[in-house]
Structures are given as C-alpha cells and as structure tokens.
Amino acid sequence: MTITLAAELEDQISPQEALHLAIGLFADDKVTLGQAASIAGISQPAFLQELGKQRVPVHYGVEELEQDIATAKKLA
C-alpha cells in the first residue's frame, strides 16, 4: 500500500501526526504492522512499543503467521 499525500500536507504533518495516522490505520486493520511502522517512520519494535503505550491490541492473524513462517524458512 502506498499513501500519497499532497506535497503541502506532507510538509505539514509532524512525526507525531504520522504516528497517529499509522496507529489508526493499523487499529482499523487497513495496514500491517510493518506498513504502519513504515508510515510512522519508525522500526517495528518501536511501533509495537507505541501500540502498547496507547493500549492498542496487536492483531496477529493467519496471514501474518504464514508470512512469518515463509520468512523464517527463507532465512534457515
């Protein structure tokens, strides 16, 4: 997924606002954890910490599990 903002908005959005946008999209199950972290401009572990601070539950479904298993097999 690619989110394209108008140039004037992109210049005005703060890192905190980008984080709030990413959390909202993640909470609504519109983006994955990795995509949300990318939108926020932070690492996945840092994004997970932010989710914890905001008490946003982490949804980890079958699709994510399958992706993690495929990645682990590639790395093994």
Side-chain angles (χ1 to χ4, degrees):
M1 168 189 278
T2 301
I3 296 176
T4 304
L5 298 175
E8 62 272 6
L9 289 177
E10 191 171 333
D11 292 339
Q12 294 176 7
I13 193 167
S14 71
Q16 189 65 26
E17 290 168 325
L19 176 61
H20 285 284
L21 173 63
I23 289 173
L25 290 170
F26 180 79
D28 285 343
D29 212 12
K30 301 293 183 194
V31 296
T32 66
L33 177 71
Q35 291 168 330
S38 179
I39 292 166
I42 59 178
S43 68
Q44 287 186 26
F47 189 74
L48 283 169
Q49 287 181 332
E50 292 297 328
L51 291 176
K53 289 178 189 175
Q54 300 294 324
R55 299 188 183 265
V56 175
V58 177
H59 36 271
Y60 187 78
V62 174
E63 184 177 320
E64 287 90 0
L65 175 61
E66 289 171 348
Q67 289 173 353
D68 287 347
I69 290 171
T71 300
K73 285 180 180 179
K74 288 179 187 176
L75 296 173

